[in-house]
Every structure is written in structure tokens, then in C-alpha cells.
């Protein structure tokens, strides 16, 4: 405990020093004149991570920019390109006085090797926190116009929440916290739920999180749980943007041909007629095409992909028994993350005849098109807190793609069993569901068609309509 006590002391003193320095800087800089951009007001959106990989916060930004005379200052880390609406509406693509978005992309702190020991992580953590506190304080004072509101994504909680509280107090802004999950539960996946560092993270998150003026969260289950923290939040369910829709037939051939250029699993170059495994050279769908199963992941510990791999083994055996009623299967797993190499090695050792697995990386433009062309989706997300919902399922539903989803505490807020999807607990259950839903493809799939038809109500309620009803008033009021 002596070592841990030393680490905690260093974290607390470092963070306290950084916050004090930040307060001094902000106190001085509060005297500086606010940028006058034709009297447009600004809202700051803070994401302490790769902003391009946070779709919900990007959709927030687009909706905010549609409010009268509002410019959105985006503070986060670069890496992945944001959606087109943000790129095209930001300076320097538009002159600053008329820009809808101003991007303030910071340089991420130096990263530790992925296989670094836990002790090294504990030693490094306080220095990273201090670095981020100073970096955020500088950016939100010297780069960002004084905002009417600051919208912060949680998690990560440290140091986003403490810095956001400090900035809003000194600027007289309103702090809006968008609760996607609990940060301390994610930390608990690697350190264990009873680790002292996890308990410290909980204390910081609970203390500063409740200081927001307004709160959103992603589920009704989280809204109820936040009451225990003294937080009154509104549940703002995710909805997909317009790009997530069924892919028209005319777009399928170019899509599969493009993907085939980097992935042999789609049959590019192997077809006599110049087509792909899914489309003929003339652009029509092949009657012998495989079913397309899609699963998107960030390759993190809260998604056990061994479940899907085991289910695919069951499907392989079923296809060997029923070659006339079950199709060949291509499973595409998209995304980046720390466990990708681990699972790719496992996949390379699997002996499949009727199933192929591709871990192809897709562009932001091709990803919704692939979902819109897929036959069935799979989600293995379980949530570290059991209180958030997988955005990947929201995107799949936007594309009218039924989903087999791993069961957990609040998944029923999104997946309605027998109406728009099914849920499973074990690999064998998932395997049975895939077999049942794909039996008869591509001709007659009555159970799959029923689930697809059940998605109409979900797809009719867009993000913009939902945001306008649930969130707009928070930012219009001052």
C-alpha cells in the first residue's frame, strides 16, 4: 500500500497544482476581450479523445450549429477525420466569421506501449493527467471564444470534468454533461473494480459530474442510476444520421468492387465476368451470393469475440449438413482496437470451408454503405456499467439491418426481441440464431424479413427530430 499511497499522493498533488495554475491563467485571461464574430455566440464541445471516433458528439455539433447565430468550438484530439458536415463547415474551408465549426485539435500525450506492465501505467498516469490539465486549460482559454455553454463527453472523466467545471465557473458558462457511460467502470476492466485507483476515479467522476447545470445520458436505465449520484438527466437516445440507410442496388457493384481492391474475401478479380462475389459484371446481384454478416467493434475487453468465432464454427457445421437451405457466409468485422491482432491470429488458425472472415478496414463513406448492403448484424457489446447502448446497433438499425445482440442489462431499450432483432447469452444461442435467420437466403427468409420490417418505427425517429425535442431547449436558454 505504500507504493499505491505514493501514486495517489502524486496524482492528487499534481492535479491540484495543475488546476491552480489553470485557475490563475483563466482568471487573468477572463479579462481579455471575447472575439467578436458578428455577435455569433459559441458553444464549446469537449471530447478528450479522438473526436472523429465519437459519432454522438459529432451529431451534437451538427445540431448545435443549426441553432441561430451559433458557432461550435470543438476541442479534442485528432486522428480520425470528422464527418463531412463538420469538415466542410469549418475554417479554413469557410471564413472564420461565417464558420459553423472551429476545430481545436490537440496533440495527444505520449502513449505507453500496449504491453506495458500495470506498475508502469500507474506511474505514468499522474504525469499524463497533469499534462492534459495544462493542455486543456491553455486551449480553452487562448484558442476558444468564451462560450455560453460547454458540452463535455463523459467518459473520459479525468481530467475533462474537473477542467470543464473550472472553465465554466470562471467564464460564467453553463456546463452540460453528456453521460455515455461511467469512466470508473471502464478503468475497472483493466485494474479490477476494487482497485484503489478505480475508487479514486469514481470519487472524482461523482464529485465533478454532479456539478453540471444540465445533463444528458444514453439510456433510461442510466437516467435512473444517475439519481443516486444526485444528477437529474434527460435520456437522449442515439439515432443514426441520414447516411445510414439501405444501400441502393446501383451502389452495390461499385461498393463491393472498391472493397475487393483491398480484400480478396469479396471475390474481386476472381470472377470471370469481372464482378464480385455479390454482384455480376453487369451490376446485378448474384443468385449464388453468400450472406453478408457484419459486426463492428473497437476490439476492447468488453466485447468477447470468441463468442462470434464459436458461433461461426456452429454455422460451418450446419452449412455442411444443409447445403441446399443455408448459404455460404462472409463475416466482415470492422474497426480498430487493442485486441485486433490477438483475434486476427486466432482467425488465421481456424479451418473454414463455408465461412470466410474479413477484418477489412472501411472508410467513413463505405462503412454505412456496407451496413446497408448486409444481411445480418451482430453486436457483442456488453457495457462496463451495463447502462449504455452500442452505437453500432443504432447504425445497423438505421440501415434496416436486423441484429443479433449480446444480452445485458438495458439492451431491451434498443433491441426488441422478435420485433427488430434477437438477443443471446451464449455462442451456441448465437449460432442457432444465425442459422435460423439465414435459412433460405437469398430467396425466402421470413423471420429475417419480419425483423427488417419491424425497424420502420425506429428509422422514422431521426437524430435531428429527437435532438430538437429533447436537447435544443438546453442550449437556447441562457
Amino acid at each position: 500500500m505504500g507504493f499505491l499511497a505514493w501514486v495517489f499522493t502524486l496524482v492528487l498533488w499534481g492535479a491540484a497544482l495543475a488546476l491552480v495554475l489553470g485557475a490563475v491563467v483563466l482568471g487573468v485571461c477572463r479579462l481579455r476581450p471575447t472575439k467578436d464574430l458578428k455577435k455569433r455566440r459559441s458553444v464549446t464541445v469537449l471530447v478528450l479523445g479522438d473526436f472523429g471516433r465519437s459519432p454522438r458528439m459529432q451529431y451534437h455539433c451538427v445540431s448545435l450549429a443549426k441553432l441561430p447565430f451559433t458557432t461550435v468550438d470543438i476541442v479534442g484530439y485528432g486522428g480520425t477525420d470528422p464527418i463531412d458536415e463538420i469538415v466542410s463547415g469549418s475554417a479554413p474551408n469557410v471564413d472564420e466569421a461565417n464558420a459553423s465549426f472551429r476545430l481545436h485539435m490537440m496533440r495527444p500525450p505520449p502513449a505507453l506501449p500496449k504491453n506495458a506492465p500495470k506498475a508502469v501505467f500507474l506511474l505514468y498516469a499522474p504525469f499524463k493527467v497533469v499534462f492534459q490539465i495544462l493542455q486543456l486549460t491553455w486551449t480553452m482559454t487562448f484558442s476558444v471564444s468564451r462560450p455560453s455553454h460547454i458540452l463535455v463527453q463523459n467518459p473520459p472523466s479525468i481530467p475533462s470534468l474537473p477542467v470543464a467545471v473550472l472553465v465554466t465557473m470562471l467564464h460564467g458558462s453553463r456546463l452540460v454533461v453528456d453521460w455515455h457511460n461511467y469512466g470508473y467502470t471502464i478503468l475497472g476492466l483493466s485494474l479490477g473494480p476494487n482497485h484503489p485507483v478505480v475508487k479514486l476515479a469514481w470519487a472524482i467522476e461523482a464529485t465533478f459530474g454532479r456539478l453540471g447545470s444540465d445533463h444528458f445520458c444514453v439510456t433510461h436505465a442510466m437516467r435512473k442510476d444517475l439519481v443516486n449520484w444526485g444528477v437529474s438527466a434527460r435520456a437522449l437516445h442515439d439515432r443514426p444520421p441520414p447516411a445510414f440507410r439501405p444501400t441502393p442496388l446501383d451502389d452495390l457493384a461499385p461498393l463491393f468492387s472498391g472493397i475487393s481492391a483491398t480484400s480478396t474475401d469479396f471475390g474481386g478479380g476472381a470472377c470471370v465476368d469481372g464482378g464480385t462475389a455479390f454482384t455480376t459484371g453487369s451490376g446485378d446481384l448474384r443468385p449464388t451470393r453468400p450472406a453478408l454478416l457484419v459486426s463492428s467493434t473497437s476490439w476492447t475487453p468488453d466485447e468477447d469475440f470468441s463468442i462470434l468465432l464459436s458461433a461461426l464454427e456452429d454455422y460451418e457445421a450446419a452449412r455442411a449438413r444443409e447445403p441446399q437451405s443455408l448459404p455460404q457466409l462472409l463475416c466482415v468485422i470492422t474497426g480498430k482496437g487493442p485486441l485486433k491482432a490477438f483475434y486476427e491470429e486466432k482467425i488465421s488458425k481456424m479451418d473454414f470451408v463455408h465461412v470466410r472472415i474479413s477484418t477489412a478496414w472501411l472508410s467513413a463513406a463505405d462503412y454505412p454503405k456496407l451496413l446497408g448492403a448486409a444481411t445480418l448484424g451482430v453486436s457483442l457489446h456488453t457495457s462496463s456499467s451495463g447502462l449504455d447502448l452500442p452505437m453500432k446497433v443504432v447504425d445497423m438499425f438505421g440501415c434496416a439491418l436486423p441484429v443479433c445482440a449480446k444480452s445485458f442489462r438495458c439492451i431491451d431499450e434498443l433491441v426488441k426481441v422478435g420485433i427488430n432483432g434477437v438477443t443471446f447469452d451464449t455462442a451456441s444461442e448465437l449460432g442457432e440464431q444465425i442459422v435460423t435467420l439465414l435459412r433460405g437466403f437469398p430467396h425466402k427468409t421470413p423471420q429475417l424479413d419480419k425483423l427488417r420490417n419491424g425497424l420502420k418505427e425506429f428509422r422514422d425517429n431521426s437524430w435531428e427530430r429527437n435532438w430538437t425535442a429533447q436537447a435544443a431547449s438546453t442550449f437556447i436558454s441562457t
Side-chain angles (χ1 to χ4, degrees), residues 210-232:
R210 65 169 61 100
L211 296 179
S213 303
D214 299 280
H215 302 264
F216 303 124
C217 61
V218 294
T219 63
H220 291 299
M222 179 172 281
R223 174 181 59 80
K224 294 175 182 177
D225 193 77
L226 281 168
V227 173
N228 300 323
W229 292 39
V231 170
S232 176

Side-chain angles (χ1 to χ4, degrees), residues 242-463:
F244 288 88
R245 57 187 177 86
T247 302
L249 179 61
D250 291 345
D251 292 343
L252 292 180
L255 169 69
F256 290 129
S257 296
I259 299 175
S260 295
T262 57
S263 174
T264 58
D265 295 308
F266 285 79
C271 301
V272 176
D273 61 3
T276 68
F278 296 89
T279 53
T280 65
S282 60
D284 297 321
L285 287 173
R286 289 191 186 279
T288 58
R289 66 188 180 276
L292 180 56
L293 184 77
V294 177
S295 185
S296 176
T297 180
S298 53
W299 300 102
T300 51
D302 63 346
E303 293 183 329
D304 183 2
F305 257 80
S306 63
I307 294 177
L308 176 58
L309 300 184
S310 180
L312 292 177
E313 289 179 322
D314 291 347
Y315 186 87
E316 169 81 8
R319 173 59 168 76
R321 294 191 304 268
E322 303 179 49
Q324 300 303 317
S325 58
L326 290 173
Q328 297 273 357
L329 182 63
L330 173 59
C331 175
V332 179
I333 306 173
T334 70
K336 296 179 180 179
L339 296 179
K340 183 175 182 178
F342 169 78
Y343 280 109
E344 284 183 326
E345 183 178 359
K346 292 187 66 173
I347 291 170
S348 67
K349 297 176 181 178
M350 302 183 77
D351 186 21
F352 284 130
V353 175
H354 307 291
V355 175
R356 284 175 293 160
I357 302 176
S358 172
T359 56
W361 170 250
L362 299 173
S363 68
D366 282 344
Y367 175 62
K369 292 179 181 178
L370 182 73
L371 293 186
T375 314
L376 182 63
V378 170
S379 170
L380 296 164
H381 178 90
T382 55
S383 173
S384 60
S385 65
L387 298 171
D388 71 307
L389 293 170
M391 187 66 195
K392 70 198 72 177
V393 175
V394 174
D395 293 339
M396 291 174 181
F397 280 0
C399 294
L401 180 63
V403 172
C404 301
K406 181 72 172 67
S407 180
F408 64 94
R409 179 175 170 184
C410 64
I411 190 65
D412 60 344
E413 290 191 32
L414 181 60
V415 179
K416 311 298 183 183
V417 175
I419 297 176
N420 58 22
V422 292
T423 60
F424 60 88
D425 289 304
T426 66
S428 60
E429 288 178 352
L430 174 59
E432 290 175 6
Q433 290 169 356
I434 296 174
V435 168
T436 300
L437 293 173
L438 296 186
R439 184 173 281 117
F441 180 89
H443 306 295
K444 293 183 179 180
T445 52
Q447 296 195 52
L448 188 65
D449 294 341
K450 176 185 175 183
L451 299 181
R452 198 182 299 275
N453 293 334
L455 287 166
K456 185 180 185 303
E457 180 180 353
F458 177 90
R459 297 180 64 235
D460 286 343
N461 188 14
S462 67
W463 165 269

Side-chain angles (χ1 to χ4, degrees), residues 17 39 78 205 420 455:
L17 177 62
K39 297 183 179 180
E205 187 171 14
N420 58 22
L455 287 166

Side-chain angles (χ1 to χ4, degrees), residues 122-143:
L122 292 173
L123 283 170
Y124 171 69
F127 297 101
K128 178 182 178 181
V129 169
V130 172
F131 174 88
Q132 290 178 317
I133 289 175
L134 294 175
Q135 185 184 46
L136 275 177
T137 302
W138 179 273
T139 302
M140 296 181 73
T141 14
F142 290 102
S143 298

